[in-house]
Amino acid sequence: MAEGIILVDPLPRTLDLIMEPDVRARLEKLGRVVISEDAPMSDAQIDELLPETVLIFGQTALPRERLDRAKKLKGVINVETNFLPNIDYQACQERNIWVLTPGSAFAAPVAEAALGMAIDLARGITAADRAFRAGTEQYGLAANAETFRFAGASVGIIGLGDLGKNLRELIRPFRNPVKVFDPWLPDEIIERHDCTPASLDELLSTSQVVFVFAAVTGENQGFLGAREFALMQKGAAFLLMSRAAVVDFPAMLDAVRSGHIRVATDVFPEEPVPADDPVRQMEGILLSAHRTGGTVDALFSIGRMAVADAELILRGLPPQLCRRADPALASRLRSKPVSVT
């Protein structure tokens, strides 16, 4: 489709992981494809290829001085799916280089898992299973003394991005009143999704179920701490589905140990979690090994979205599926790079 090099440097992803054969065949038609999957592409090879490179699939570092040598570059698609601090986003915008992520591929599966985990916390499903296996089960009303119905329960969503919007659509049949805290969005956007804008304190103090989908920035690390957990209703459910760094993790665990709230988390400060970490033995917390988004179909969606937008870019058209990096926002993000796929 284009005369030029397609530089593919996708680790920790691999092409087999994110591209079905037909999608890979489309990639091969885009130009001269140069792939490095056994190890990250060396700086020497990148610098050699950049003058003729038109597209990059991967997490290649692109400071301004390197971009100066990439005169033909039209797009960079981060298939790791985070906007990392190794790119000069402002320089890319000035030079009309699209910097994209297909991260929304994970939104639907994460939202689906979040809903399942919320129902579990509300109804005590896995807790009852563990009690039954231990021979300490209770029956009927006695078994539901500390449960509540998810249907109709007041819901709070912290962060109404792709994940939050998908969750909001999934829970519509449950007729939950939904409040949203998202300082990056105007009230009009929140209201368009049939939600009520709220301050963080109001959301925490009035919601039976709180979903956290907030991205990590330089300003909000640990913004959910002991004070915030104390604001929550006793017995409320708190679901951490985005990044561990947005909470004070020890304070969250203290709130669980005290019996004040019940928690589900798909993310941890250190991953993989050490085998001797006490969190593994805690009651009142539902644990998930950062697995809610990494389904086979979601990973293949990364490849489909990336290649489809690459085809558009090389035709001189704007991409339609991936999210474009905005320098004002991308420079503030602080998500840890993916190390385990």
Side-chain angles (χ1 to χ4, degrees):
M1 178 179 288
E3 291 186 6
I5 291 171
I6 312 298
L7 192 157
V8 181
D9 189 19
L11 291 175
R13 314 289 188 207
T14 64
L15 291 189
D16 285 345
L17 187 75
I18 63 173
M19 291 187 188
E20 296 160 287
D22 63 315
V23 176
R24 181 153 181 173
R26 288 164 59 190
L27 170 66
E28 299 284 352
K29 294 177 181 178
L30 294 179
R32 177 191 161 202
V33 179
V34 180
I35 303 172
S36 179
E37 291 186 283
D38 295 331
M41 191 172 290
S42 70
D43 287 341
Q45 186 177 14
I46 292 168
D47 290 337
E48 178 187 350
L49 296 174
L50 270 180
E52 297 301 319
T53 296
V54 293
L55 280 173
I56 296 175
F57 286 75
Q59 291 61 256
T60 306
L62 293 169
R64 186 177 289 263
E65 57 271 20
R66 183 172 265 178
L67 288 167
D68 287 340
R69 300 194 298 276
K71 302 298 186 182
K72 297 182 180 181
L73 187 62
K74 300 177 183 295
V76 180
I77 305 178
N78 184 314
V79 295
E80 188 254 25
T81 68
N82 288 311
F83 288 131
L84 302 175
N86 65 344
I87 291 180
D88 190 325
Y89 294 98
Q90 185 62 44
C92 287
Q93 186 178 70
E94 292 168 2
R95 299 164 198 213
N96 296 314
I97 298 170
W98 296 95
V99 184
L100 308 172
T101 174
S104 61
F106 294 127
V110 170
E112 180 181 80
L115 172 57
M117 294 166 80
I119 294 173
D120 186 303
L121 290 184
R123 299 300 304 276
I125 296 168
T126 53
D129 174 81
R130 291 193 299 272
F132 204 110
R133 294 173 189 278
T136 59
E137 78 276 10
Q138 293 181 297
Y139 291 81
L141 182 60
N144 285 293
E146 297 183 358
T147 70
F148 62 88
R149 291 281 307 283
F150 180 80
S154 53
V155 164
I157 298 176
I158 299 175
L160 195 67
D162 292 326
L163 301 179
K165 289 171 184 172
N166 270 264
L167 185 280
R168 202 280 167 264
E169 294 307 308
L170 277 183
I171 67 174
R172 284 188 182 277
F174 293 92
R175 304 180 306 281
N176 308 90
V178 180
K179 291 180 179 177
V180 167
F181 171 72
D182 192 326
W184 288 13
L185 293 180
D187 290 353
E188 288 77 7
I189 295 294
I190 294 171
E191 291 165 351
R192 189 176 297 171
H193 291 275
D194 299 321
C195 302
T196 302
S199 69
L200 179 62
D201 287 5
E202 178 189 354
L203 182 151
L204 291 170
S205 62
T206 60
S207 301
Q208 278 187 290
V209 184
V210 175
F211 295 92
V212 180
F213 297 118
V216 184
T217 71
E219 296 85 31
N220 74 353
Q221 296 185 54
F223 80 99
L224 295 165
R227 187 192 78 86
E228 288 70 32
F229 293 120
L231 289 174
M232 295 181 65
Q233 302 173 13
K234 182 173 175 54
F238 181 87
L239 295 101
L240 179 56
M241 306 304 297
S242 52
R243 290 292 184 266
V246 299
V247 305
D248 179 334
F249 217 81
M252 183 184 77
L253 298 183
D254 285 344
V256 174
R257 288 190 191 95
S258 71
H260 182 60
I261 60 173
R262 59 194 81 179
V263 165
T265 183
D266 186 48
V267 290
F268 301 86
E270 181 182 355
E271 296 177 1
V273 176
D276 60 351
D277 193 310
V279 74
R280 295 179 181 273
Q281 308 305 322
M282 285 185 64
E283 294 295 327
I285 185 167
L286 180 60
L287 305 173
S288 174
H290 207 153
R291 60 180 292 276
T292 60
T295 61
V296 171
D297 62 304
L299 290 164
F300 281 149
S301 289
I302 290 173
R304 287 195 296 272
M305 294 168 68
V307 170
D309 273 353
E311 291 168 341
L312 290 172
I313 290 170
L314 293 180
R315 291 169 55 200
L317 298 172
Q320 299 294 322
L321 297 172
C322 298
R323 171 171 292 178
R324 186 180 192 183
D326 182 292
L329 299 182
S331 63
R332 299 165 70 178
L333 296 174
R334 295 294 185 274
S335 290
K336 293 171 64 175
V338 170
S339 58
V340 179
T341 293

